[in-house]
Amino acid sequence: MRLLFVGAPAVGKGTQAKKLAEALGVPHISTGDILRGTARENTPLGQKVKQFIDLGSLVPDELMMSIIEERFRRGDTPKGYILDGFPRTTAQAMGLDLLLARLRQPIDLVLLFECPDDVIMQRIIERRSCPKCGAPYHLRWQKPKKDDVCDLDGTPLVQRVDDTRTKVFHRLAQYRSETAAVIPYFEKRGLVRRVNADQPPDAVYRDVEAVVAKR
Ligand code: AP5
């Protein structure tokens, strides 16, 4: 199954993608995780990427396309993939189509996660994540078993620098002005399925499974 997960910041794409990717046995490709990994490296590219993500601004399309092409070169996607957070502009959507046509791995479905802005804000402000494996937590709704430590590898949890109220407004505005345009782009081909993300994580997952099973 070849899936794209699209939706506003902190709508829950990563939480759902991790679980479904594990169940389907396909790679979960999160461009946010890839970029945070690159930003941690002390290289000129890492420093450049860090500037964009710390501000909550989109990384330029050309750079994103080379990152995604390199990721697909790993060769673990023929049985399927979940792309989380990519594409975020029409130019990226067009570039992705060309790449996937070349690889003969076209998209099966685009899952669009929808949630009101006030809920998104609550999710972001109290989000914590594991800097080592990327597992997401929430101080109220998805607490770690042991305070402030990742359940999976025991690493102390951190708050992302782009998870502040001001940066979230900027990220939401960008979602509307740039990313929302990819929805009609895929809708024209009948690929988009809407998922109500304003429910507890397990209920969202049941809806995700139902959408995928119907295909
Ligand atoms: P990225 O990491 O992709 O950020 P995002 O899209 O803003 O998404 P998030 O990771 O914030 O949220 P999510 O939807 O995965 O939600 P999560 O599951 O964590 O990208 C970061 C940055 O990288 C971008 O700002 C940009 O700079 C750059 N970038 C990335 N891709 C790019 C691209 N293609 N082009 C250009 N630049 C790019 O959940 C959020 C919280 O809510 C968690 O605490 C979770 O525990 C909780 N939660 C989840 N689901 C539920 C639920 N159902 N009920 C209650 N709580 C829930």
Side-chain angles (χ1 to χ4, degrees):
M1 185 65 76
R2 298 178 286 259
L3 303 169
L4 303 192
F5 278 20
V6 176
V11 73
K13 303 178 296 294
T15 301
Q16 299 298 326
K18 251 180 213 312
K19 198 167 169 180
L20 186 67
E22 225 175 273
L24 297 176
V26 299
H28 166 210
I29 303 176
S30 154
T31 44
D33 287 347
I34 294 174
L35 290 167
R36 279 183 288 278
T38 306
R40 278 196 292 273
E41 293 162 9
N42 197 16
T43 59
L45 176 64
Q47 285 161 8
K48 187 175 171 189
V49 164
K50 190 171 181 332
Q51 284 173 358
F52 287 103
I53 60 176
D54 282 0
L55 289 169
S57 295
L58 292 182
V59 172
D61 290 335
E62 209 176 304
L63 179 52
M64 285 314 301
M65 278 316 303
S66 64
I67 286 174
I68 211 76
E69 289 197 18
E70 193 184 313
R71 177 59 187 81
F72 271 85
R73 269 199 288 273
R74 234 191 255 178
D76 57 352
T77 54
K79 285 195 188 141
Y81 51 79
I82 300 181
L83 255 179
D84 162 13
F86 188 93
R88 278 189 209 217
T89 64
T90 312
Q92 289 180 15
M94 291 161 76
L96 180 67
D97 270 340
L98 289 176
L99 170 69
L100 296 176
R102 209 165 66 225
L103 296 173
R104 297 182 205 279
Q105 296 175 18
I107 301 154
D108 292 318
L109 283 180
V110 177
L111 271 63
L112 170 61
F113 292 82
E114 297 179 309
C115 202
D117 283 2
D118 56 329
V119 176
I120 282 176
M121 192 56 88
Q122 277 179 333
R123 288 186 186 174
I124 279 201
I125 300 299
E126 294 185 88
R127 168 167 50 190
R128 299 293 179 271
S129 53
C130 174
K132 192 171 170 198
C133 71
Y137 296 90
H138 191 277
L139 297 182
R140 263 185 284 177
W141 300 303
Q142 270 185 279
K143 288 184 186 179
K145 288 182 191 131
K146 223 173 113 191
D147 269 357
D148 302 326
V149 166
C150 179
D151 293 346
L152 305 177
D153 54 35
T155 307
L157 302 180
V158 294
Q159 181 171 28
R160 279 168 43 175
V161 284
D162 56 342
D163 277 356
T164 63
R165 204 167 278 274
T166 326
K167 287 179 187 167
V168 177
F169 282 128
H170 174 54
R171 286 160 64 195
L172 281 168
Q174 247 181 176
Y175 174 74
R176 294 213 173 83
S177 63
E178 303 281 338
T179 308
V182 308
I183 301 159
Y185 177 89
F186 290 113
E187 235 161 14
K188 277 186 208 142
R189 281 149 51 191
L191 294 175
V192 177
R193 303 288 180 274
R194 290 178 149 73
V195 175
N196 174 14
D198 187 14
Q199 346 173 44
D202 288 347
V204 179
Y205 188 69
R206 278 195 292 278
D207 288 359
V208 166
E209 279 185 313
V211 163
V212 170
K214 261 193 214 153
R215 178 162 186 289

